[in-house]
Amino acid sequence: MADTVEEIFANDSPEDIETVKNMIDKIRLEIMSHGEEEHDSYDPESLQKVEFNIQINRVTLILQEMSDTLEVLFSLPMICRNEELMAKHFNGEEQDVLRLLCKYMRSSDDGEAFVPEIVNMADFQFPSTKFIELVEMVSNKDLHKEISSHLPKVYKKFLSNIREFRKFNITKMKMTAQKDLAKEKILHRMWQSNERNIKEIAKIERILEDKRASFQVEIEEKTAIIEKYRADIERLEEQSKRQIDEFIQESDRSMFHYFERSDQRYEELQEEVNRRTKEYKNTLEADLLSEKANRTKKAKLTQQLQLWLNKYDKDAGERTKELNALGDTLQERQEEFDEWKRTVFDPQEKKYFDAIEERRLDELRAQEEVIHQFMMKRAAIVLQRAWRSVAERKRKMRGRRGGRRAKGKK
């Protein structure tokens, strides 16, 4: 049977364990806080409270001494067997006392089921005061740290139960009647809540069963549909396999016909190759003959060209001499021409340009004179015309004035 919360919830998640621990702490605080103020049976300053605490401490001390004494008795055989521990923690006299005590302790097994048997204490002449000194002597914390891990499991379990019993008694003694009643109320409330939760769980389980049944029906329907689709898939697989076989057979037939046509085509191409080969040979022979004739013709033309080049070189030498002579003659004539141009042509050209310029100026002056005469005549005509017009207007004005005067006299 599990002894701790961790052992009880060993297979649960850490979140669930933490939730249960928090709930236990909450219930404990609620129980212990009940009656701490005005409803508490004991006044912290009263004598009754002090006596109650003294009794609790006394019982606690008795239980603690009992557990320490039992631990000493359980540890004695192991201490006596370990010479190193004896020499480390006890002097010679204390070692003799321990060995004397261990003589009267015997066991039939040294394993985990080891349970020492104590002989009749009437035959064992060992004063109780010495036993108390022995307990104090063996109650060494450093010593117990070294041997506590080597105690048999049954001893450890028994000592653990004694300590838990001490804690339980202390807790029960510290709890007042009001707190105990509050605990019962809280536990009763929790029991009622648990009953309601059980009913809710049963209701949810029924709903879950109904859902499971409906889901089972749906699963069966889905399974039937799946089986139908599986049958269709198998049928389609057979059909596709049959079509693939037919396609393969058709492909084989087509491939066979293609091979036949390819063989026939190969023969035709072979004949074409033979024919082209013959044509190539004939063409090659004709080209070789033509090339031979062309080579002969080329040699003749090259020889003729060489003769022409030699003749040209010879003629070119003579023509070059003539060209040089003509160049010298041209140079002399050019010098003579330049001298003639400088001494004869340029002065005459200057005189010619001067005569042309003088003639142009004379013509320009004559033209200006003609224009001046024309303008003078034109101006005289305009002035005469304007004068006649003015005289005519004056005459008309004088005649108009004379008529007015004659009319006034009448």
Side-chain angles (χ1 to χ4, degrees):
M1 183 176 179
D3 297 326
T4 62
V5 176
E6 288 77 6
E7 294 177 355
I8 294 172
F9 298 98
N11 297 325
D12 294 333
S13 63
E15 292 79 6
D16 295 337
I17 296 173
E18 188 66 24
T19 302
V20 173
K21 285 183 178 180
N22 293 333
M23 186 180 295
I24 293 172
D25 294 337
K26 182 179 179 181
I27 294 170
R28 184 182 292 112
L29 290 174
E30 186 176 356
I31 293 171
M32 297 305 294
S33 64
H34 187 81
E36 286 291 338
E37 297 177 355
E38 66 272 18
H39 301 290
D40 198 351
S41 299
Y42 302 104
D43 186 5
E45 301 297 333
S46 65
L47 181 61
Q48 187 179 8
K49 180 71 173 182
V50 175
E51 292 178 354
F52 183 71
N53 290 330
I54 291 172
Q55 292 176 3
I56 293 174
N57 293 332
R58 185 177 298 168
V59 173
T60 303
L61 181 60
I62 291 170
L63 293 175
Q64 180 66 35
E65 290 177 354
M66 182 184 68
S67 62
D68 292 341
T69 303
L70 289 174
E71 188 172 0
V72 168
L73 291 175
F74 291 156
S75 304
L76 276 176
M78 188 174 295
I79 295 172
C80 293
R81 294 190 189 98
N82 196 330
E83 294 294 337
E84 184 179 354
L85 289 177
M86 292 280 286
K88 182 178 180 181
H89 295 281
F90 304 103
N91 55 28
E93 184 179 355
E94 292 172 347
Q95 293 179 14
D96 293 338
V97 173
L98 290 174
R99 290 190 182 94
L100 178 63
L101 181 62
C102 288
K103 285 182 180 180
Y104 295 93
M105 299 178 67
R106 62 180 181 271
S107 63
S108 58
D109 189 10
D110 291 338
E112 290 190 358
F114 169 70
V115 179
E117 296 179 0
I118 307 299
V119 298
N120 189 2
M121 293 302 295
D123 299 334
F124 180 52
Q125 301 297 327
F126 195 79
S128 59
T129 56
K130 291 291 185 181
F131 187 78
I132 294 173
E133 292 178 0
L134 177 64
V135 171
E136 293 178 354
M137 178 178 61
V138 181
S139 299
N140 188 341
K141 293 183 179 180
D142 296 333
L143 177 62
H144 283 281
K145 286 181 181 178
E146 295 184 17
I147 65 174
S148 60
S149 59
H150 300 288
L151 284 175
K153 187 175 181 180
V154 64
Y155 291 171
K156 292 180 180 179
K157 184 68 176 177
F158 181 73
L159 292 174
S160 176
N161 292 335
I162 292 297
R163 294 188 185 97
E164 292 296 328
F165 176 71
R166 179 170 61 84
K167 292 179 182 179
F168 175 75
N169 284 333
I170 293 170
T171 303
K172 294 296 290 184
M173 291 177 69
K174 288 182 178 180
M175 187 176 294
T176 61
Q178 286 83 357
K179 292 179 180 179
D180 197 6
L181 182 60
K183 176 183 177 182
E184 293 297 330
K185 290 181 179 179
I186 292 170
L187 293 176
H188 182 69
R189 187 169 65 250
M190 292 179 64
W191 178 80
Q192 290 179 346
S193 176
N194 187 39
E195 289 295 325
R196 288 194 299 270
N197 292 333
I198 291 172
K199 292 180 181 179
E200 290 293 331
I201 291 170
K203 181 179 178 181
I204 293 172
E205 287 179 350
R206 288 194 298 272
I207 295 172
L208 183 61
E209 289 296 332
D210 296 337
K211 293 292 184 181
R212 186 180 289 110
S214 62
F215 287 158
Q216 186 65 30
V217 173
E218 292 181 1
I219 290 171
E220 291 177 356
E221 293 177 356
K222 300 293 184 182
T223 304
I225 294 172
I226 291 170
E227 292 296 332
K228 180 182 177 182
Y229 287 157
R230 186 177 288 112
D232 293 339
I233 290 171
E234 292 177 356
R235 180 176 56 79
L236 292 173
E237 286 179 352
E238 293 178 357
Q239 183 179 356
S240 63
K241 185 177 180 181
R242 185 172 61 256
Q243 291 177 355
I244 290 170
D245 293 337
E246 293 176 356
F247 178 76
I248 291 172
Q249 293 176 1
E250 183 67 24
S251 299
D252 292 338
R253 287 193 296 269
S254 300
M255 188 66 69
F256 178 74
H257 293 310
Y258 175 75
F259 285 154
E260 288 182 349
R261 290 195 300 270
S262 64
D263 292 339
Q264 184 178 0
R265 179 62 177 167
Y266 176 75
E267 293 177 357
E268 294 176 355
L269 292 175
Q270 189 67 32
E271 293 177 358
E272 182 71 18
V273 168
N274 295 330
R275 185 173 61 81
R276 294 291 183 183
T277 303
K278 291 179 181 179
E279 292 179 357
Y280 171 73
K281 289 181 179 180
N282 296 330
T283 305
L284 181 61
E285 291 177 357
D287 291 341
L288 290 174
L289 294 174
S290 177
E291 184 180 2
K292 185 177 180 181
N294 290 331
R295 286 178 181 276
T296 304
K297 186 176 180 180
K298 179 181 178 181
K300 291 180 180 180
L301 291 175
T302 303
Q303 186 177 4
Q304 185 68 30
L305 179 62
Q306 187 66 35
L307 294 175
W308 287 349
L309 288 174
N310 294 331
K311 184 178 180 181
Y312 171 77
D313 291 338
K314 184 178 180 181
D315 293 341
E318 295 176 356
R319 298 296 181 183
T320 302
K321 292 179 180 179
E322 294 179 359
L323 179 62
N324 292 331
L326 291 174
D328 295 338
T329 305
L330 178 62
Q331 183 68 26
E332 293 176 357
R333 294 292 181 89
Q334 184 68 34
E335 291 177 357
E336 292 176 358
F337 173 76
D338 293 338
E339 181 66 23
W340 174 82
K341 183 175 181 298
R342 182 175 58 80
T343 57
V344 178
F345 179 77
D346 289 342
Q348 291 180 359
E349 185 181 16
K350 184 178 180 182
K351 291 178 180 180
Y352 172 75
F353 285 135
D354 292 339
I356 292 297
E357 182 66 20
E358 185 178 356
R359 181 180 178 182
R360 186 182 67 80
L361 293 175
D362 292 341
E363 290 178 355
L364 182 60
R365 283 193 293 270
Q367 187 177 2
E368 289 178 354
E369 184 66 25
V370 171
I371 292 171
H372 181 69
Q373 293 295 328
F374 174 77
M375 292 297 293
M376 291 291 290
K377 291 179 180 180
R378 179 68 178 171
I381 293 170
V382 171
L383 289 173
Q384 290 176 3
R385 187 180 296 169
W387 175 252
R388 283 195 295 269
S389 176
V390 171
E392 184 66 23
R393 283 199 301 271
K394 288 181 178 181
R395 187 181 61 79
K396 288 180 179 180
M397 289 178 66
R398 281 196 300 269
R400 190 180 300 167
R401 290 176 183 174
R404 287 179 180 176
R405 290 175 183 174
K407 188 177 180 180
K409 290 179 178 182
K410 289 179 179 181

